Amino acid sequence: MSAASTPVKAVLFDRDGTLVHDVPYNGDPDRVRPVEGAREAVALLREHGVRVGVVTNQSGVARGLISDGDVRRVNRRVDDLIGPFDVWAVCPHGPDDGCHCRKPEPGMILWAAGRVCAGPADCVVVGDIGADMEAAERAGAHGILVPNDRTRPEETAAAPHVAPDLLTAVRAILDGPPRGRVLADERPIGAAYGPDPEGGGPRAAGPADGPGPGSGSGPATIPPATAPGHGVFAPGAGRAVDDRPGRLT
């Protein structure tokens, strides 16, 4: 399938828990481990002419746990192992900083879409928590949730589209914008993404260890980014939620 035959022009991935295993506030490139199928999924998109990017909350910078340089080094390692990605958007702010870029705000998605010359409606956001899906919706993009053991059951239930893994998500994307509730799996959502007693299937349910994503106003003016390619957004005004322990959100 050629790029001309699919309306999806870009896929924007969450980083931690989606492309790589989540290491809270990771500033060490040596601790980067891609999730299964990540390299193949990104390569498949590039082969079909679909642009790829990363949109990631990194509140460890605001908390003083990691530096901008740490984030850049980890991002370069992700590029080396999985990419290269066409665009990187990083929010370094904390939950109370009031910015437009921190997911579930739509700023990073709108900015990254612009960087690859794609409208939000031509983009798919792939992530592992509700904030990723809310940010996609508020930006006017499509969202696909790929659950892991930190994904809350209510986030899986609320997601517009759910895939058991990255390759399933990408194969669906190559057919156009995602269609259907559970991609490539017709079982009920609980059966498809609940714990597998034999250990062979995906598991979506995780502990409800904090408040879920909220609602708010739609897209606002986007602040400029610095150092495009591994950029960090400047402060803006807005609201952010979903600061669960162990998540770089």
Side-chain angles (χ1 to χ4, degrees), residues 32 170 224 230:
V32 173
V170 164
H230 294 283

Side-chain angles (χ1 to χ4, degrees), residues 76-148:
R76 283 195 291 270
R77 182 60 173 165
V78 176
D79 255 345
D80 291 341
L81 293 174
I82 302 175
F85 290 92
D86 298 304
V87 61
W88 279 85
V90 177
C91 173
H93 304 116
D96 300 320
D97 288 347
C99 69
H100 290 308
C101 49
R102 177 180 163 85
K103 294 177 290 187
E105 296 291 338
M108 281 195 292
I109 293 169
L110 294 169
W111 183 84
R115 291 286 297 178
V116 295
C117 301
D122 299 323
C123 296
V124 177
V125 177
V126 180
D128 67 319
I129 63 173
D132 300 317
M133 300 300 98
E134 184 178 348
E137 180 181 6
R138 294 172 68 181
H142 306 277
I144 298 177
L145 187 78
V146 179
N148 56 41

Side-chain angles (χ1 to χ4, degrees), residues 148-175:
N148 56 41
D149 61 1
R150 293 183 181 271
T151 310
R152 297 178 184 139
E154 59 268 29
E155 292 174 319
T156 304
H161 308 285
V162 183
D165 53 59
L166 286 178
L167 276 172
T168 299
V170 164
R171 287 170 181 144
I173 289 167
L174 292 177
D175 288 331

Side-chain angles (χ1 to χ4, degrees), residues 60-77:
V61 176
R63 301 172 195 272
L65 300 173
I66 54 176
S67 68
D68 286 346
D70 292 332
V71 173
R72 295 172 195 272
R73 283 187 289 274
V74 169
N75 289 349
R76 283 195 291 270
R77 182 60 173 165

Side-chain angles (χ1 to χ4, degrees), residues 186-242:
E186 299 302 323
R187 291 176 294 167
I189 192 69
Y193 298 101
D196 184 341
E198 298 181 357
R203 179 177 181 272
D209 51 4
S215 60
S217 58
T221 303
I222 307 167
T226 61
H230 294 283
V232 178
F233 278 72
R239 183 187 56 80
V241 295
D242 197 354

